[in-house]
Amino acid sequence: MVDVPDIVIGRLPIYLRELTRLAEEENQTTTSSHELGQRLGISSAQIRKDLSHFGEFGKQGTGYHINYLIEQLREILHLTQEWPVALIGAGYLGHALAHYDGFKPRGFVITCVFDNDPRKIGENLNGLVVSDIHDMESIIQEKNIKIAILATPANTAQEITDRLVKAGVKAILNYAPIHLNVPPDVQVSYSDPVVQLQRMTYYLTP
Amino acid sequence: MVDVPDIVIGRLPIYLRELTRLAEEENQTTTSSHELGQRLGISSAQIRKDLSHFGEFGKQGTGYHINYLIEQLREILHLTQEWPVALIGAGYLGHALAHYDGFKPRGFVITCVFDNDPRKIGENLNGLVVSDIHDMESIIQEKNIKIAILATPANTAQEITDRLVKAGVKAILNYAPIHLNVPPDVQVSYSDPVVQLQRMTYYLTP
DNA sequence: AATTATTTGTGAAAAGTTACACGAATCACT
DNA sequence: AGTGATTCGTGTAACTTTTCACAAATAATT
């Protein structure tokens, strides 16, 4: 279990999401690697191989008990605790993230919001008061926050990242359209809509 | 040039983004695969291999002329035209996307916005009037739109996707937390912040 | 009880991706 | 003009990831 490829880890949240759907919307208690793969456009063999890195969760002839597999995946992904998250940036995107109701049921709670714009500081954002970015480090350390969502313009992103890392943050979800330099023990995940659109236009005929 | 791996295509927009930065912010006219790789955390050999799928853009001893390489990448990715984009969903996320000023300079223009909520229809969203989703197909076909951004709740996403595909859309950027089923000639790109966070928590010690 | 149909977990093969390393071209400097 | 330093493009090797295919276990059916 020591050295599971990151590409495998990246699929586990997608399995978890679809399993939750199967349980909640289709009211199923059991599924198979074949059914899950069908629904996700992934081969059944890949799903079985992925899961086999962590143990034996299925039963020949039957498949997987959905609630049990959900529980196992939540443990593997360290989702048995709720993770507090710092949100940096209270612009339109910050608003959208602060109001998103999909975080809580899947393990995350936005706990504080920061901005450097005096007009935004003090604003109430879905129950959270926007704090001065000057206080970012102290609040993050006080609340022992390890995850941040970066929703600022590109020109401040690296500078804020450096401050987040110094404050002890170990995972950053970056919405700014820029590559971030971080130490090897800090995770970064990127979300630049234009990069995603440009990848797709390659396949389109102009 | 016929069969370039998708994983290579996915890196080209990142090269393009960093090259633009080098040109605009660092005022450089020339760079090397080594410098570009350093800045992006990618090996120089990989950058050269990636580019070699499409031609020979560099010069031994010198490297790459940035503006020329940008132009070539824009042609490869079909970014010499501006792409009109339909935005589905005028909630908080729709607002954020409609106000994002990063689309235009990188090749995309949100041209129409749809929602099914009567309170939102008619609303002015950064210069765009929100249309009734009932009119989605006719407007998309009339404007010959091939790209859509899906910013709706999960429970309507597949149904709207089916309608988009019927209307001729060939690329969908999906923010709803759900896998979409589409025909093989339609591209889908996913952006679910929770999936990205969950991938990172695997590496965090709880 | 025996037979047939499912389905898992996995070793081995196949396919895909990345890194290495080097010839060749170019540039900078003496 | 010659020497040394850069840098590209690329064939090959190393590594990673996916697919295949099958024994073993279970369930359903006769």
Side-chain angles (χ1 to χ4, degrees):
Chain A
M1 201 198 284
V2 219
D3 188 24
V4 182
D6 179 63
I7 195 154
V8 172
I9 304 303
R11 282 189 293 263
L12 301 185
I14 293 167
Y15 300 161
L16 177 56
R17 189 175 68 180
E18 193 65 27
L19 287 165
T20 306
R21 248 180 91 73
L22 277 167
E24 291 182 1
E25 262 143 80
E26 316 284 333
N27 288 310
Q28 284 183 222
T29 60
T30 286
T31 189
S32 65
S33 60
H34 183 75
E35 182 183 42
L36 195 56
Q38 279 270 299
R39 295 178 65 107
L40 293 174
I42 291 176
S43 81
S44 61
Q46 179 157 83
I47 292 174
R48 293 198 301 277
K49 240 312 192 267
D50 285 353
L51 297 176
S52 77
H53 284 98
F54 302 96
E56 308 194 356
F57 307 118
K59 206 172 173 185
Q60 280 113 324
T62 310
Y64 301 91
H65 190 287
I66 292 178
N67 284 339
Y68 175 69
L69 187 50
I70 286 175
E71 209 36 61
Q72 295 299 307
L73 286 172
R74 282 171 34 87
E75 278 182 24
I76 292 165
L77 293 169
H78 301 145
L79 300 172
T80 48
Q81 65 160 210
E82 216 170 46
W83 290 93
V85 176
L87 172 59
I88 326 295
Y92 281 103
L93 180 57
H95 278 245
L97 290 163
H99 283 87
Y100 184 50
D101 60 6
F103 286 124
K104 187 80 183 282
R106 295 167 74 194
F108 302 91
V109 181
I110 294 181
T111 304
C112 45
V113 186
F114 301 97
D115 206 295
N116 64 350
D117 183 342
R119 287 166 302 182
K120 287 181 188 146
I121 295 165
E123 184 186 347
N124 188 305
L125 228 170
N126 198 24
L128 288 169
V129 176
V130 178
S131 301
D132 191 328
I133 196 147
H134 183 264
D135 304 324
M136 186 175 75
E137 287 90 334
S138 58
I139 292 176
I140 282 177
Q141 279 171 335
E142 178 208 318
K143 300 194 185 224
N144 195 30
I145 290 175
K146 299 297 171 199
I147 304 175
I149 300 180
L150 202 43
T152 65
N155 57 0
T156 59
Q158 182 63 61
E159 175 214 318
I160 289 173
T161 296
D162 295 342
R163 290 172 54 189
L164 288 169
V165 169
K166 268 200 200 126
V169 163
K170 296 294 182 195
I172 297 171
L173 174 50
N174 175 34
Y175 283 93
I178 186 175
H179 174 86
L180 297 178
N181 281 104
V182 295
D185 66 324
V186 176
Q187 305 294 316
V188 182
S189 187
Y190 294 91
S191 189
D192 178 346
V194 177
V195 163
Q196 292 181 277
L197 291 171
Q198 289 177 341
R199 178 185 202 146
M200 293 194 287
T201 53
Y202 172 78
Y203 299 99
L204 302 186
T205 48
Chain B
M1 201 197 283
V2 221
D3 189 23
V4 182
D6 180 64
I7 195 156
V8 172
I9 304 303
R11 282 189 292 262
L12 300 185
I14 292 167
Y15 300 161
L16 177 57
R17 189 176 68 182
E18 194 64 29
L19 287 166
T20 306
R21 248 181 92 74
L22 277 167
E24 291 182 0
E25 262 144 79
E26 316 285 333
N27 288 310
Q28 286 183 220
T29 60
T30 286
T31 189
S32 64
S33 60
H34 183 74
E35 182 183 41
L36 196 55
Q38 279 270 300
R39 295 179 65 106
L40 293 174
I42 292 177
S43 81
S44 60
Q46 180 157 83
I47 291 173
R48 294 198 301 277
K49 236 326 188 257
D50 285 353
L51 296 176
S52 76
H53 283 100
F54 302 96
E56 308 194 356
F57 306 119
K59 208 174 174 183
Q60 281 112 323
T62 311
Y64 301 92
H65 190 287
I66 292 178
N67 284 339
Y68 175 70
L69 187 50
I70 286 175
E71 209 37 62
Q72 294 300 307
L73 286 172
R74 282 170 36 87
E75 278 182 25
I76 291 165
L77 293 169
H78 301 145
L79 300 172
T80 49
Q81 66 160 213
E82 216 169 45
W83 291 92
V85 176
L87 173 60
I88 326 296
Y92 282 103
L93 180 55
H95 278 245
L97 291 162
H99 283 86
Y100 183 50
D101 61 6
F103 286 124
K104 187 80 182 282
R106 294 166 75 193
F108 302 90
V109 181
I110 294 180
T111 305
C112 45
V113 186
F114 302 97
D115 206 295
N116 65 350
D117 184 342
R119 287 165 301 181
K120 288 181 188 145
I121 296 164
E123 183 186 347
N124 189 303
L125 229 171
N126 198 25
L128 288 169
V129 176
V130 178
S131 301
D132 191 329
I133 197 150
H134 185 263
D135 303 324
M136 185 175 75
E137 287 90 334
S138 58
I139 292 176
I140 282 178
Q141 281 171 334
E142 179 210 316
K143 302 197 186 222
N144 195 31
I145 290 175
K146 299 295 170 199
I147 304 175
I149 300 180
L150 202 42
T152 65
N155 57 359
T156 60
Q158 182 63 62
E159 176 213 319
I160 290 173
T161 296
D162 295 343
R163 289 172 56 189
L164 289 169
V165 170
K166 270 201 197 125
V169 164
K170 297 292 182 197
I172 298 172
L173 174 49
N174 176 32
Y175 282 93
I178 184 175
H179 174 85
L180 297 178
N181 280 103
V182 295
D185 67 323
V186 176
Q187 305 293 316
V188 182
S189 188
Y190 295 91
S191 189
D192 178 346
V194 176
V195 163
Q196 292 181 279
L197 291 172
Q198 289 177 342
R199 179 185 199 145
M200 293 193 288
T201 52
Y202 173 78
Y203 299 99
L204 302 186
T205 48

